[in-house]
């Protein structure tokens, strides 16, 4: 059946403060499943639902300040909306960021803990995604990433070229997952921003992990210890988690 892409996980020095930033940025609400964890999701949302990919912020000691492979693109509906959103995000604590983007129509910002994200100019393809247009992963081979993630999840591959790949929920709702070809570089730290996947209710977590390993994933140790989720890395070394499904 494939796994559900349910949330983007941010590691933070202060989950509460960073969670509040993202809630304000997205117009969503916050909740908490326990100390050190802030959940950001649409108000009235019943998790999980492909109409939205939520944001989970987890406190960890001293996150590195580097450009990670995973970032969020925010959607806008007009040039005026883009301008207003950028101004509001700066008031909330975002700062301009230079990642070598040059003269582009989108705006690159960093959240209060340095995580880079983009505020896109209006694009027709993102008109119905909600506030998050896409979750973007830098990679060396978008075609290979599309093959792996297309098999790993219950999402549909929409477009694949040598330079990028785009997937979306098979139900045609919510944001896209995109893989963007970038210059190769050594990965020296584990990603502080990663994807969380969830088996469907009643499905077997261990069986899903074995299936992912057969597709090319490997088990990963990021110091998680004894936890109910499994940490893996995709064929390019990007960590992700397979959560424990709800009981049938």
């Amino acid at each position: 059946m494939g796994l559900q892409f349910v949330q983007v996980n941010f590691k933070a020095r202060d989950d509460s403060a960073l969670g509040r930033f993202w809630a304000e940025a997205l117009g969503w609400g916050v909740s908490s499943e326990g100390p050190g964890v802030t959940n950001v999701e649409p108000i009235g949302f019943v998790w999980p639902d492909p109409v939205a990919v939520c944001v989970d912020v987890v406190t960890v000691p001293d996150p590195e300040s580097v450009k990670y492979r995973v970032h969020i693109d925010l959607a806008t509906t007009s040039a005026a909306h883009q301008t207003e959103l950028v101004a509001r995000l700066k008031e909330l604590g975002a700062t301009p960021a230079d990642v070598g983007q040059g003269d582009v129509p989108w705006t690159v910002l960093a959240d209060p803990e340095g995580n880079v994200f983009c505020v896109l100019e209006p694009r027709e393809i993102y008109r119905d995604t909600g506030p998050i247009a896409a979750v973007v992963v830098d990679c060396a081979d978008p075609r290979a990433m599309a093959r792996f993630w297309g098999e790993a999840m219950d999402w549909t591959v929409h477009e694949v070229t040598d330079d990028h790949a785009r997937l979306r929920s098979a139900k045609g709702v919510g944001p896209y997952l995109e893989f963007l070809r970038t210059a190769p570089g050594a990965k020296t730290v584990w990603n502080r921003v990663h994807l969380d996947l969830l088996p469907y209710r009643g499905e077997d977590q261990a069986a899903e992990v074995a299936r992912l390993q057969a597709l090319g994933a490997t088990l990963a140790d990021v110091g998680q210890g004894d936890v109910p989720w499994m940490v893996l890395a995709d064929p390019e070394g990007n960590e992700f988690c397979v959560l424990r499904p709800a009981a049938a």
Side-chain angles (χ1 to χ4, degrees):
M1 181 178 291
L3 294 156
Q4 306 169 82
F5 177 21
V6 291
Q7 60 201 24
V8 181
N9 188 297
F10 283 76
K11 298 297 186 288
R13 295 180 184 86
D14 184 339
D15 65 281
S16 179
L18 191 60
R20 286 194 303 271
F21 169 85
W22 280 105
E24 291 285 345
L26 300 171
W28 290 359
V30 295
S31 61
S32 179
E33 62 196 62
V37 181
T38 297
N39 311 110
V40 183
E41 57 189 34
I43 296 169
F45 181 78
V46 179
W47 189 89
D49 187 326
V51 73
V53 170
C54 300
V55 174
D56 221 30
V57 186
V58 180
T59 291
V60 297
D62 300 325
E64 297 92 345
S65 179
V66 301
K67 180 181 181 294
Y68 299 110
R69 291 183 179 180
V70 183
H71 73 267
I72 287 176
D73 283 350
L74 301 186
T76 62
T77 56
S78 66
H81 180 208
Q82 183 185 20
T83 300
E84 179 276 329
L85 180 56
V86 169
R88 185 167 63 83
L89 291 167
K90 289 179 179 178
E91 290 177 359
L92 292 171
T95 54
D98 186 350
V99 294
Q101 68 269 23
D103 184 17
V104 292
W106 58 89
T107 302
V108 184
L109 300 172
D111 72 16
E113 291 215 8
N115 299 298
V116 172
F117 65 99
C118 298
V119 181
L120 301 180
E121 76 284 3
R123 300 185 192 180
E124 178 64 19
I125 191 172
Y126 302 131
R127 70 189 185 282
D128 62 351
T129 59
I132 298 177
V135 178
V136 183
V137 183
D138 294 344
C139 70
D141 188 344
R143 293 185 183 276
M145 288 293 94
R147 285 193 297 272
F148 172 81
W149 287 96
E151 291 287 337
M153 304 191 307
D154 62 339
W155 282 31
T156 301
V157 178
H158 280 249
E159 184 180 1
V160 182
T161 72
D162 289 341
D163 294 320
H164 70 273
R166 180 178 287 128
L167 297 81
R168 196 184 193 192
S169 166
K171 294 184 178 179
V173 296
Y176 289 84
L177 175 63
E178 300 182 355
F179 295 91
L180 181 66
R181 186 182 184 91
T182 56
K187 182 173 184 291
T188 58
V189 298
W190 52 275
N191 291 337
R192 293 285 186 173
V193 181
H194 70 258
L195 314 185
D196 282 347
L197 308 183
L198 177 70
Y200 279 91
R201 180 180 295 272
E203 294 295 316
D204 185 73
Q205 182 189 39
E208 284 296 321
V209 168
R211 184 177 68 84
L212 292 167
Q213 289 178 282
L215 293 172
T218 53
L219 296 176
D221 186 350
V222 295
Q224 67 269 23
D226 183 17
V227 292
W229 56 88
M230 298 291 293
V231 183
L232 294 92
D234 73 13
E236 289 203 10
N238 298 301
E239 296 88 6
F240 64 96
C241 294
V242 178
L243 308 179
R244 179 179 290 171

